[in-house]
Amino acid sequence: MISIIVAISENNAIGFENKLIYWLPNDMKRFKALTTGNTIIMGRRTFESLPKGALPNRRNIVLSRNGKAEDFPNADLYPSLEEALATCEGEVFIIGGSSVYKEAMHIADSLCLTYIYDTPEKADTFFPEINKEEWKEVMREEHDIDEKHNQRYAFIDLERIN
């Protein structure tokens, strides 16, 4: 099963200057709960944005056509998504960035969204448009602003319509 996991704003913004736009502790907890014990696939820039490198307790795969294995400690390196997926078993999570999301959209089985009810002032990275005719909502959990979260958000799971 191939799942895409992403936090997106109302205008599909996901990042600015190779960093997440929003810091939502509950989103981080959900990300960790869903991906731990599974395989995560990311592009080179996403790997470089991780503060401590490869994420623990997951198989980390980095996609890069001209990177070297030593540039990505504790991660496997593949030149293409197709080649990486051929080596995977169990659930796989695509975690970014935008070009990897775009490539994976047509093969993903599910989308695990954190939808932030906000439009950021600055963004330079966006998630591809979601074709509502290809996906059905199977779970939604709404969250209001609180002492740790400055934006309203929802966890939304979508499954591909066959």
Side-chain angles (χ1 to χ4, degrees), residues 105-109 129-136 158-162:
M105 279 297 280
H106 73 282
I107 58 170
D109 303 298
E129 287 298 318
I130 299 169
N131 181 343
K132 307 270 191 244
E133 294 177 11
E134 294 180 17
W135 302 94
K136 67 178 176 187
L158 305 176
E159 287 181 1
R160 183 174 298 283
I161 299 169
N162 292 333

Side-chain angles (χ1 to χ4, degrees), residues 5 25 36-37 39 51 86 94 101 115 120-121 135 142 152:
I5 188 165
T36 295
T39 298
I94 308 296
Y101 285 140
Y115 185 85
E121 287 181 29
W135 302 94
E142 298 283 345
R152 285 182 49 242

